Amino acid sequence: MRFADPAFLVLLLLPLGWIWWQVRGRRRPPAAHIAFPAFAFLRDAPRTRRARWRWLPDALRPLALACLVVALARPQVTSQVAKIHSRSRNLMLALDISSSMKAEDFHPGNRIVVGRRVLSDFVKRRDGDLMGLVIFAGRAFLQAPLTPDTDLMQQLLARVDIGQLPDGTAIGTALAMCLNQLKNLPPRASAIILVTDGANNTGSPSPAQAAEMARALGIRIYSIGLSAADTTSYALNGVWRVGNTAARLSSSDERVLKRIADRTGGRYFRATDPETLEQIMREIDPLERTDVTIGETREYRELFPLALAPGLLLLGLELTLGVGWLRTVP
């Protein structure tokens, strides 16, 4: 049993205080009174039934107040417990926010701007799925644990930017953080989507160790390498171009990302422009969904009528006796 508004139980002090006040008043002689010595002969007179029940109205009043206070606190008992199941995918996004993501070989903006936009569109289509977000550079940070709230995920994605973490590329750390979110969920419907433009150069575990951990858990990793085919220059307008030394995925970087995906049953993709990245995210869509228990609801039955009815009855009885059979004259 529980009380829906337990704060009202503090009012139980009122009937207790009233009882204390009545007992204290009976023990204390009146401050001023008129003695009637002529009534001494009544001391030995037999007590009538009315005199024997004179205490009843004073006892009914605090009892009625206690019942009304309990009714006000709304006692409840559980009537039904229902588990909430969702047929969903469980997806963790690992997004690189290292300084190299400022490269402007992706338009409009740069790699991080395009990455945020495409991932946000991907999240918007995840009706009923559980999504989480890990951002990483020289360190990794859990931006959002698994949640079905796609609006919240989009808001958090919009706040992601370069400079939030020390520079570097801690891919293995980010993957381990994602695995920690997925380890207790059905692996068949769980996956990590890794979006990066470089090779691991800091943190632990290493990408290979993280891939083995994912393989042991049965969780697939889809790795996406962001880098245009040519990052040596970019156009200012239709005529002029300026030199650029933006970092580009090397063949050895791609081999590492491909090995991570292959070891876990996932797949490696190379995104050379925003359109390719959008196409890749559509290819990742058809993951199998499974039933996941995401919570439970309880229905409660109100019990306040069981306290309200006797409270009103006792209060009515006290008033009736007080003005009727047990009426007293002060």
Side-chain angles (χ1 to χ4, degrees):
M1 188 179 74
R2 70 166 196 174
F3 291 94
D5 300 309
F8 285 113
L9 293 177
V10 176
L11 297 178
L12 285 174
L13 293 174
L14 293 177
L16 292 176
W18 191 86
I19 293 173
W20 174 80
W21 180 259
Q22 290 295 315
V23 172
R24 184 170 176 269
R26 289 178 186 277
R27 292 178 178 176
R28 186 176 56 187
H33 63 280
I34 300 175
F36 291 94
F39 289 164
F41 68 93
L42 295 176
R43 185 175 305 160
D44 298 329
R47 298 184 67 192
T48 63
R49 186 183 301 174
R50 184 177 299 177
R52 287 198 299 269
W53 288 99
R54 192 182 60 181
W55 57 270
L56 187 56
D58 291 340
L60 292 177
R61 185 175 300 170
L63 191 58
L65 287 176
C67 290
L68 294 178
V69 168
V70 171
L72 200 59
R74 293 177 56 202
Q76 299 174 331
V77 292
T78 304
S79 62
Q80 185 177 359
V81 179
K83 292 188 177 298
I84 301 175
H85 298 279
S86 174
R87 190 167 180 79
S88 68
R89 309 177 184 93
N90 317 301
L91 301 173
M92 285 298 300
L93 305 178
L95 177 61
D96 188 348
I97 60 167
S98 62
S99 59
S100 59
M101 292 289 282
K102 287 190 288 188
E104 298 179 348
D105 52 342
F106 278 50
H107 299 283
N110 51 35
R111 293 173 184 170
I112 189 67
V113 171
V114 172
R116 280 195 314 236
R117 178 177 58 79
V118 175
L119 289 180
S120 182
D121 292 341
F122 178 76
V123 168
K124 192 188 302 181
R125 299 193 297 269
R126 305 272 67 78
D127 183 26
D129 290 346
L130 298 179
M131 301 284 300
L133 174 64
V134 169
I135 56 175
F136 67 95
R139 297 176 188 168
F141 179 74
L142 179 63
Q143 186 83 350
L146 284 171
T147 174
D149 192 339
T150 56
D151 291 337
L152 176 63
M153 278 290 295
Q154 288 180 289
Q155 293 174 19
L156 292 174
L157 267 170
R159 297 175 188 170
V160 169
D161 206 353
I162 295 167
Q164 289 181 275
L165 296 170
D167 202 16
T169 308
I171 293 177
T173 308
L175 292 177
M177 197 168 285
C178 291
L179 289 172
N180 192 46
Q181 293 290 308
L182 297 170
K183 62 184 179 183
N184 296 322
L185 294 172
R188 195 172 56 183
S190 301
I192 298 171
I193 300 174
L194 170 66
V195 181
T196 182
D197 67 343
N200 187 80
N201 55 24
T202 186
S204 63
S206 68
Q209 291 172 326
E212 292 304 320
M213 293 161 58
R215 178 184 173 85
L217 292 171
I219 296 172
R220 285 163 289 182
I221 299 176
Y222 295 87
S223 55
I224 301 173
L226 297 183
S227 180
D230 180 11
T231 62
T232 56
S233 64
Y234 64 90
L236 285 178
N237 50 45
V239 179
W240 300 98
R241 301 177 70 83
V242 297
N244 186 24
T245 56
R248 185 175 55 179
L249 271 176
S250 66
S251 56
S252 63
D253 297 339
E254 288 194 276
R255 279 197 297 273
V256 172
L257 295 177
K258 188 173 187 306
R259 193 178 305 126
I260 291 173
D262 290 344
R263 288 295 294 170
T264 60
R267 187 178 167 189
Y268 168 67
F269 303 89
R270 169 74 179 271
T272 56
D273 52 57
E275 293 73 23
T276 309
L277 181 58
E278 291 169 357
Q279 177 60 34
I280 291 169
M281 299 308 293
R282 282 193 289 271
E283 289 185 33
I284 296 175
D285 265 352
L287 275 174
E288 186 174 355
R289 288 179 167 173
T290 59
D291 290 327
V292 179
T293 301
I294 60 175
E296 64 179 25
T297 59
R298 293 174 181 265
E299 294 184 4
Y300 293 94
R301 183 162 59 89
E302 295 281 356
L303 297 181
F304 74 88
L306 300 181
L308 180 62
L312 294 176
L313 184 64
L314 291 173
L315 193 61
L317 183 60
E318 185 262 338
L319 293 174
T320 303
L321 291 175
V323 299
W325 186 53
L326 295 178
R327 182 181 57 199
T328 58
V329 177

